[in-house]
Amino acid sequence: MLHGGVFEEDSSSQSIPSSEKGLGGAREKKLEQRHRVAFITKSEIEVMDDGYKWRKYGKKPVKNSPNPRNYYKCSSGGCNVKKRIERDRDDHSYVITTYEGSHNHYSPFTVYYNQMPPNAWT
DNA sequence: CGCTTTTGACCCGCGC
DNA sequence: GCGCGGGTCAAAAGCG
C-alpha cells in the first residue's frame, strides 16, 4: 500500500479484481461505473469537502479493517455520483476516498474558482 | 421548515 | 439447495 498515492482506474481496460466480484449492489449492478478514482489522504478527519454536497447513506464494517466503511452519495440535483470513504487498516491515520461516477453539474467550488479572477485573490 | 444523519432490514449473486 | 457477503434502501429523529 503506497501512502499518499492516487489511483485512477478506467473500468474500460482494467478488469475489476475479485474485490468487485461482480456482485456488489445488485441494484446498481446494471449501471456501469465508468469512472473510479481512489484518493489516499493522510488526515485524522474525513471532512474532505470538495464543494459538493455528500449525504451519508450507509455504514458497514469491513473484515480487513477494524474500522467501518462509510458510503456517501452526491445529493446535488441530478447528480448520481457516489463516494466511498474508508480508513487504511495499516495506518488509520490515512483516509481512502473513492469516487464513482461523474457529476452532472459543475462543482460549486469549481464554478467559484472558475469565475474567480487570479488578481481577485490579492 | 428543510435537510441531514443513524440504524435495521432486505435483496441479489455466487460459492460450495 | 442453501448460506453468506456485500450493498442499498427506508424510516425516523435531531439540528441549524
Side-chain angles (χ1 to χ4, degrees):
Chain A
M1 185 73 78
L2 298 173
H3 301 313
V6 181
F7 297 95
E8 292 189 47
E9 297 183 37
D10 272 82
S11 61
S12 52
S13 61
Q14 282 292 324
S15 52
I16 285 69
S18 53
S19 304
E20 290 289 335
K21 253 198 295 193
L23 196 273
R27 283 187 182 83
E28 302 212 15
K29 170 196 73 167
K30 299 173 83 172
L31 295 176
E32 296 183 33
Q33 293 128 10
R34 25 188 79 196
H35 191 191
R36 221 164 59 167
V37 191
F39 288 94
I40 299 185
T41 309
K42 183 178 189 302
S43 203
E44 301 177 26
I45 38 183
E46 65 254 7
V47 59
M48 307 191 290
D49 189 6
D50 351 30
Y52 294 107
K53 286 303 178 222
W54 300 99
R55 166 186 152 253
K56 196 194 305 199
Y57 76 88
K59 234 178 4 198
K60 285 282 287 207
V62 183
K63 282 179 159 222
N64 289 323
S65 296
N67 313 303
R69 181 179 278 173
N70 299 305
Y71 296 87
Y72 286 86
K73 203 184 207 167
C74 187
S75 74
S76 299
C79 207
N80 57 305
V81 180
K82 287 182 285 187
K83 186 158 100 178
R84 178 182 307 163
I85 295 179
E86 186 184 344
R87 290 200 198 270
D88 192 299
R89 90 158 173 93
D90 292 320
D91 294 286
H92 66 87
S93 306
Y94 292 86
V95 180
I96 302 173
T97 309
T98 308
Y99 292 87
E100 294 185 8
S102 305
H103 294 281
N104 289 317
H105 66 99
Y106 291 97
S107 166
F109 185 78
T110 302
V111 176
Y112 181 71
Y113 184 80
N114 221 351
Q115 297 190 341
M116 181 61 79
N119 59 349
W121 285 93
T122 53

